[in-house]
Amino acid sequence: MKPIDFKEKKAESEGIVTALRLIKNLAMAIERGEIESVVYVTKKPTGEVGTGYSQGSPLEILGLLRCGEEDVLDSMRLRKC
């Protein structure tokens, strides 16, 4: 029997997307062949920021980061209404 992560269950019931939930969903999409490349930014509890990306050209990687920035800005604009 798989142990229950109560923090994850509580977050899920509150509609909060945790880092673990996000990565699990991403991994499932990759396994289904729905994802071609990945770019990510992480923040550790210490405040240290890191980045990573799958193979791709530097311009594609920068473009994906820019798309991510625009997506976050769009969601911020929608919440203001």
Side-chain angles (χ1 to χ4, degrees):
M1 185 171 181
K2 188 175 177 182
I4 296 172
D5 185 333
F6 289 105
K7 282 187 197 177
E8 286 294 318
K9 283 291 184 191
K10 182 176 187 280
E12 184 180 347
S13 70
E14 295 173 353
I16 297 170
V17 180
T18 65
L20 182 58
R21 169 68 63 203
L22 181 70
I23 295 304
K24 283 182 177 181
N25 290 342
L26 177 61
M28 288 188 302
I30 291 169
E31 288 172 355
R32 290 189 302 266
E34 298 172 355
I35 306 295
E36 182 179 340
S37 59
V38 175
V39 176
Y40 66 87
V41 179
T42 60
K43 180 182 169 206
K44 294 181 180 180
T46 61
E48 182 182 348
V49 175
T51 60
Y53 43 87
S54 57
Q55 190 169 354
S57 75
L59 288 177
E60 179 185 33
I61 293 161
L62 290 173
L64 289 169
L65 286 168
R66 182 72 177 123
C67 288
E69 179 184 12
E70 283 298 316
D71 188 48
V72 171
L73 288 171
D74 286 346
S75 68
M76 291 170 66
R77 288 184 200 106
L78 289 173
R79 280 190 234 137
K80 277 185 126 176
C81 299

